[in-house]
Amino acid sequence: MIIRIVGAPATGKTTLRHWLADYLALPHFGIDDERLFYGWSLEAWQSLKQKVDQTAACILETGGTTQSDRVVCSTRSTFTILCTASRQTRHQRLVGRVEQGYPLVTQDDYATRLLKMGAPLLTPHASINSDNGFNPNQLEALALRCNEFIDEG
């Protein structure tokens, strides 16, 4: 079983992944972690799929917009959570990454390019907005839904 966190860049996916992993005591993986080693390549997706396939249940963070994303989840029962944030919030976060020297910033137009990337076209099981951070009550309710999904598994 996979709890899949998707959304446009800078919507809070990584923050949510780490929180859920701690709360649910599940292994967690993200495509950006693999990109640190393999760059923006197919090898990053292959490595991610291999790690996911070695677990009974895990949390997976991707953008949710590519065929590779769907392949990683194709043989598993998946609960999808869509992270959202306003364009203004995303812009602030992306500019902050550039200023902080985020390792995946490889081009001068990083913030502009990533801001153009939209949310995946899918119907999630749940969604959460991170404009004002994550509300603890929302997080706990989301974690309960994830637990129910795992228990049904």
Side-chain angles (χ1 to χ4, degrees), residues 43-74:
E43 288 82 12
W45 287 101
Q46 291 168 334
S47 176
L48 184 62
K49 180 164 178 34
Q50 184 178 39
K51 289 177 181 178
V52 168
D53 286 348
Q54 293 174 356
T55 66
C58 69
I59 299 171
L60 173 65
E61 173 203 350
T62 70
T65 59
T66 68
Q67 181 61 31
S68 297
D69 182 300
R70 290 182 283 283
V71 168
V72 171
C73 300
S74 64

Side-chain angles (χ1 to χ4, degrees), residues 20-58:
L20 279 174
D22 287 345
Y23 192 92
L24 300 171
L26 287 175
H28 59 98
F29 312 101
I31 188 59
D32 282 353
D33 297 336
E34 300 306 313
R35 286 178 176 148
L36 291 172
F37 294 100
Y38 298 102
W40 295 74
S41 69
L42 183 58
E43 288 82 12
W45 287 101
Q46 291 168 334
S47 176
L48 184 62
K49 180 164 178 34
Q50 184 178 39
K51 289 177 181 178
V52 168
D53 286 348
Q54 293 174 356
T55 66
C58 69

Side-chain angles (χ1 to χ4, degrees), residues 61-129:
E61 173 203 350
T62 70
T65 59
T66 68
Q67 181 61 31
S68 297
D69 182 300
R70 290 182 283 283
V71 168
V72 171
C73 300
S74 64
T75 60
R76 306 281 287 281
S77 180
T78 304
F79 182 88
T80 302
I81 302 165
L82 175 64
C83 285
T84 63
S86 69
R87 183 176 176 83
Q88 179 181 355
T89 297
R90 291 181 56 225
H91 181 262
Q92 290 171 344
R93 291 174 182 168
L94 290 166
V95 168
R97 288 180 187 176
V98 172
E99 291 171 352
Q100 295 169 9
Y102 182 66
L104 292 176
V105 175
T106 57
Q107 298 172 341
D108 292 339
D109 65 344
Y110 172 85
T112 304
R113 267 186 315 106
L114 267 63
L115 193 58
K116 290 178 184 176
M117 296 173 74
L121 299 175
L122 51 76
T123 303
H125 296 92
S127 64
I128 189 165
N129 183 281

